[in-house]
Amino acid sequence: MEKGEQKNIEEIFCLTGEESFRKNLISRINRIAGQLRGIEKMILNHVKCDEILNQISSIKSALNGIAKVVLEAHLKNCIVQKVRNGVEEEATSELITILSKLMEKNSKSITDSNDNIVRKIEKQIAEMKVSIEVNQCCGSILKDIALIKNELDSMAKVILDRHVKNCLVRDIKAGNEEKIIDDFIYTINKMIK
């Protein structure tokens, strides 16, 4: 078997035969899509910024949960198979790239509006569902998760900037600084996990 053929078989191997696993992932992704729609409504309804930031943190946490189970499947199936087939350099390089993307913090400057970011995330979620449904390699699903997390970080930065400049200042001027600071610290702690 030629190397190119071998790689195609390995990429399909990741989730093949694990229908309940794929259904579970799709269900979890659908919940995330619902949470994202909830954020969109929160923004339109001018809900407090810290509540929106907490919802973004919840989505990132849910994505991390999906990433963990997909990463485990990727390690057990794809990486092990590649190592056994003698392409360990390719396997380790791919794994390091995926892990780097998953752990990377977004540092790009933000030029998109929250609406555009939401649209990008919705598109990425739809693409991730298709990847799962057609048994694409776990690596591509993990890359989708990393992209979504980066977009959520972008959205959080936009909202956090607005929150600090507007809400936090306004609320401190109005009084009860201790509660305001406690709420703000709680939100920040959730965001930096």
Side-chain angles (χ1 to χ4, degrees):
M1 180 181 313
E2 293 192 23
K3 192 173 182 176
E5 292 175 21
Q6 182 179 21
K7 183 176 181 180
N8 289 337
I9 289 170
E10 289 168 6
E11 287 180 1
I12 295 171
F13 182 74
C14 295
L15 300 176
T16 301
E18 299 182 32
E19 187 64 30
S20 63
F21 181 76
R22 287 196 314 273
K23 283 183 179 181
N24 181 326
L25 288 178
I26 295 292
S27 175
R28 291 169 83 167
I29 291 167
N30 286 338
R31 280 194 297 274
I32 290 169
Q35 287 177 299
L36 183 63
R37 287 187 296 276
I39 287 175
E40 189 173 25
K41 288 178 186 173
M42 292 170 84
I43 291 169
L44 292 173
N45 292 326
H46 304 288
V47 172
K48 289 175 54 178
C49 298
D50 56 345
E51 291 179 32
I52 298 169
L53 291 168
N54 284 324
Q55 188 67 18
I56 291 171
S57 293
S58 295
I59 292 174
K60 285 177 56 180
S61 179
L63 284 167
N64 285 336
I66 292 172
K68 287 175 189 174
V69 297
V70 172
L71 182 60
E72 182 179 356
H74 186 61
L75 287 167
K76 287 180 176 179
N77 298 317
C78 307
I79 300 299
V80 168
Q81 191 66 33
K82 285 181 179 180
V83 170
R84 286 185 179 153
N85 288 338
V87 287
E88 59 272 354
E89 190 173 316
E90 176 187 329
T92 56
S93 176
E94 172 193 329
L95 183 59
I96 289 167
T97 300
I98 289 169
L99 293 173
S100 295
K101 287 183 183 289
L102 284 172
M103 294 187 292
E104 175 180 281
K105 290 290 184 181
N106 189 352
S107 61
K108 70 179 183 178
S109 64
I110 295 108
T111 56
D112 283 340
S113 68
N114 283 332
D115 289 341
N116 287 339
I117 294 171
V118 167
R119 298 294 159 256
K120 282 183 186 177
I121 295 170
E122 287 174 335
K123 183 179 177 189
Q124 290 162 336
I125 287 172
E127 289 171 3
M128 188 167 46
K129 285 171 59 174
V130 169
S131 294
I132 292 167
E133 290 168 351
V134 300
N135 294 328
Q136 259 187 343
C137 181
C138 300
S140 65
I141 297 164
L142 291 166
K143 289 174 187 171
D144 289 340
I145 291 171
L147 288 171
I148 293 168
K149 285 176 53 178
N150 279 331
E151 292 299 336
L152 287 168
D153 285 341
S154 294
M155 179 185 284
K157 285 179 184 178
V158 169
I159 293 169
L160 185 60
D161 181 66
R162 184 179 69 204
H163 182 59
V164 168
K165 290 178 179 174
N166 299 323
C167 307
L168 191 65
V169 170
R170 178 199 65 221
D171 292 347
I172 288 172
K173 286 180 179 179
N176 198 5
E177 299 87 16
E178 193 169 317
K179 179 178 178 357
I180 293 159
I181 291 171
D182 287 346
D183 289 347
F184 184 73
I185 296 298
Y186 173 79
T187 299
I188 295 303
N189 281 332
K190 283 186 75 174
M191 289 179 63
I192 58 177
K193 283 184 179 180

